[in-house]
Amino acid sequence: MKILHTSDWHLGHNLYGYDRKKDHIDFLNQLRAIIKEEIPDALLVSGDIYDVSNPPTNIVSIFNDFILELRHEFPLMAIIITAGNHDSASKVEVYREVWKELDIDVIGKIEKNGRDYSFKNNLIEVKGKGVIVAIPFVNRAYMSIGSEENIPEENFFSQIAKEVSNENHANLPIVLMAHITVNGSDTEGHKQPSIGNINSVNDSIFDKMFDYVALGHIHKPQTVDSFGRIRYSGSPIAISFDEEFTHSVSIVEIEKGIKPVIRTVNIEPSRPLITFPTQPVSFGNAIKMLKKFPSEKECFIRLNVEQEDDLPADCEEQAIAAVTDKKCLYCTIKYLRPNKENSFSERFDLRLDDFMDLRPTDVAMTLFKSLGIGEETSKELQILIKEIEEDIINKQREED
């Protein structure tokens, strides 16, 4: 069985207020071309279809139209899509039966009756080629309560393996789709790799009966086990400036009991996310260099600045003015001080109890300093934070 494994499309994503619809449409066009070239037996999208649980109607239309076009152009290819933690399971499920009529599986949840699960709707056979176990994001509270010997995730995936084993009478290759964080994975670019209240899990929870595990959530493409069967396809386009790696989709050829053969096909971004210049310079020099940036190059820019002094109060205005009449889009400033003691992360290397004792204004002021926000602006923001804090306290008193 040959599959195209992808995930974390994050349709509807906005980057510092900029609409990324153009970037996603360009990716979808590249994906269509890859499918035409590779002719996979199945397209698997392992969660995070959208960037938010309630995406705009025009973004939903882009997704729907694209999937319908794929079905029309590639009638023999299985299309299996699961919800991720960014998606609304109920909204993904609402048109499930309509999609099913078109032989498209869009799955948002797992049926549960008390402590018993039914994976019947999650087991999908790819026309005699293999079995796909389509598991969307499931939070820990929805999983069985583990015994002293087993954690909930272990019990949950053990139940899946048992049911698949009972149903796979033809001994076909089995692919498990999941949206979860695996211990040892490279979370570069992720600020919060954990999903909801699920901590990272060991790859041992995935039974060896699964010939390939098609993971979603981590944006950097990677194989996370020594045998080479558990893999993140990664996001097809960069979601943040810290994702400084090549984005791609995975082509995977699978045989029962044999190490899968994996190839990547790179996705070329129409508007890359660039940290400029490559090496940090003073703010003044960064602005001079930005003014000389190629006028016709389409991209998103994060200025790379390092200096001892605070950034000027009008730093944003200067950066925006520097790209006037250019096709590049200024987003933000990555600001570093040579003295690392001033960094936000260093100042907040605290125990949780100590951190909880801090007032919101204490946290905010340290953050403002680390970002190079001037003293006058910091004081104005501090006043606003105090007002918000007082409003919250007053509302809580009224409710009590």
Side-chain angles (χ1 to χ4, degrees):
M1 178 170 59
K2 183 179 184 180
I3 67 170
L4 192 158
H5 171 203
T6 179
S7 71
D8 297 273
W9 291 3
H10 289 275
L11 300 178
H13 177 248
N14 276 268
L15 185 70
Y16 293 92
Y18 294 114
D19 186 347
R20 308 223 30 217
K21 184 168 64 175
K22 178 181 184 296
D23 308 274
H24 277 113
I25 290 174
D26 186 70
F27 152 64
L28 294 175
N29 288 334
Q30 291 185 60
L31 181 62
R32 180 188 287 107
I34 294 169
I35 292 171
K36 187 174 183 179
E37 175 72 20
E38 297 287 347
I39 311 296
D41 298 306
L43 167 68
L44 308 187
V45 185
S46 297
D48 283 357
I49 307 162
Y50 301 111
D51 191 56
V52 294
S53 60
N54 189 26
T57 303
N58 67 323
I59 299 301
V60 175
S61 295
I62 288 172
F63 169 77
N64 292 345
D65 291 346
F66 176 72
I67 298 302
L68 290 173
E69 290 167 7
L70 287 186
R71 171 49 66 235
H72 177 74
E73 190 170 353
F74 307 100
L76 300 180
M77 180 181 70
I79 301 175
I80 305 168
I81 302 165
T82 56
N85 61 300
H86 279 249
D87 303 309
S88 166
S90 59
K91 290 182 179 179
V92 167
E93 283 277 328
V94 69
Y95 295 116
R96 178 173 177 171
E97 294 305 317
V98 177
W99 286 117
K100 192 68 177 175
E101 287 295 314
L102 299 170
D103 199 23
I104 298 168
D105 291 280
V106 182
I107 297 173
K109 64 181 182 180
I110 297 167
E111 298 295 335
K112 185 180 182 183
N113 183 12
R115 294 173 61 89
D116 297 323
Y117 298 95
S118 172
F119 298 105
K120 181 180 179 180
N121 293 329
N122 304 89
L123 303 185
I124 303 157
E125 182 175 336
V126 181
K127 300 178 180 179
K129 300 259 185 176
V131 175
I132 309 298
V133 188
I135 304 300
F137 164 66
V138 183
N139 64 42
R140 187 174 240 231
Y142 195 76
M143 297 182 183
S144 299
I145 299 174
S147 66
E148 292 182 0
E149 293 79 21
N150 295 308
I151 61 173
E153 293 88 344
E154 289 177 344
N155 285 335
F156 178 75
F157 284 101
S158 292
Q159 290 183 50
I160 295 172
K162 182 177 180 181
E163 184 156 340
V164 176
S165 180
N166 292 336
E167 296 294 329
N168 187 23
H169 304 296
N171 198 34
L172 296 171
I174 303 172
V175 174
L176 172 69
M177 299 173 69
H179 196 85
I180 200 166
T181 305
V182 176
N183 283 326
S185 53
D186 185 344
T187 59
E188 179 183 348
H190 271 259
K191 294 179 181 177
Q192 294 179 326
S194 294
I195 307 175
N197 60 348
I198 294 183
N199 294 320
S200 298
V201 299
N202 293 323
D203 59 27
S204 59
I205 70 170
F206 304 121
D207 195 285
K208 291 184 179 179
M209 69 177 297
F210 299 119
D211 297 287
Y212 182 73
V213 180
L215 296 175
H217 181 55
I218 303 300
H219 290 181
K220 186 173 184 176
Q222 61 192 281
T223 302
V224 297
D225 68 318
S226 57
F227 184 71
R229 69 186 181 100
I230 304 173
R231 180 172 177 79
Y232 287 102
S233 63
S235 57
I237 69 171
I239 304 302
S240 78
F241 283 97
D242 293 325
E243 295 182 16
E244 297 178 328
F245 44 80
T246 301
H247 292 72
S248 62
V249 298
S250 298
I251 305 296
V252 189
E253 298 183 54
I254 305 158
E255 292 185 42
K256 189 65 180 173
I258 298 176
K259 179 179 179 178
V261 178
I262 302 168
R263 292 182 289 113
T264 58
V265 180
N266 294 342
I267 301 299
E268 298 299 329
S270 57
R271 297 187 292 183
L273 277 59
I274 296 175
T275 299
F276 177 83
T278 305
Q279 298 299 319
V281 297
S282 69
F283 178 77
N285 285 334
I287 292 297
K288 290 178 182 177
M289 297 172 72
L290 186 57
K291 289 178 179 179
K292 297 178 181 179
F293 194 84
S295 298
E296 298 301 312
K297 185 174 179 60
E298 292 190 83
C299 64
F300 299 96
I301 285 185
R302 174 175 69 171
L303 278 186
N304 197 5
V305 174
E306 181 176 5
Q307 63 183 33
E308 192 66 56
D309 298 334
D310 289 346
L311 295 176
D314 65 342
C315 59
E316 295 288 329
E317 290 81 355
Q318 288 191 49
I320 293 170
V323 298
T324 301
D325 298 327
K326 296 181 185 289
K327 291 188 177 181
C328 62
L329 300 172
Y330 163 75
C331 293
T332 188
I333 300 172
K334 180 182 181 181
Y335 171 57
L336 301 172
R337 289 179 184 270
N339 182 2
K340 292 186 178 180
E341 290 181 0
N342 289 332
S343 74
F344 183 69
S345 60
E346 289 286 336
R347 290 290 300 275
F348 278 86
D349 185 16
L350 302 173
R351 294 185 302 107
L352 178 60
D353 291 343
D354 295 331
F355 183 82
M356 294 298 289
D357 289 336
L358 295 172
R359 294 179 61 84
T361 48
D362 296 329
V363 178
M365 290 303 289
T366 302
L367 174 60
F368 297 156
K369 186 175 181 180
S370 74
L371 295 175
I373 296 174
E375 184 177 350
E376 183 177 342
T377 304
S378 295
K379 287 180 178 179
E380 293 175 358
L381 292 172
Q382 188 178 23
I383 291 171
L384 291 175
I385 292 169
K386 284 182 178 179
E387 291 176 354
I388 294 170
E389 184 180 9
E390 289 173 0
D391 286 343
I392 293 172
I393 293 171
N394 290 334
K395 287 181 181 179
Q396 288 176 338
R397 286 172 178 168
E398 291 172 4
E399 292 174 356
D400 295 340

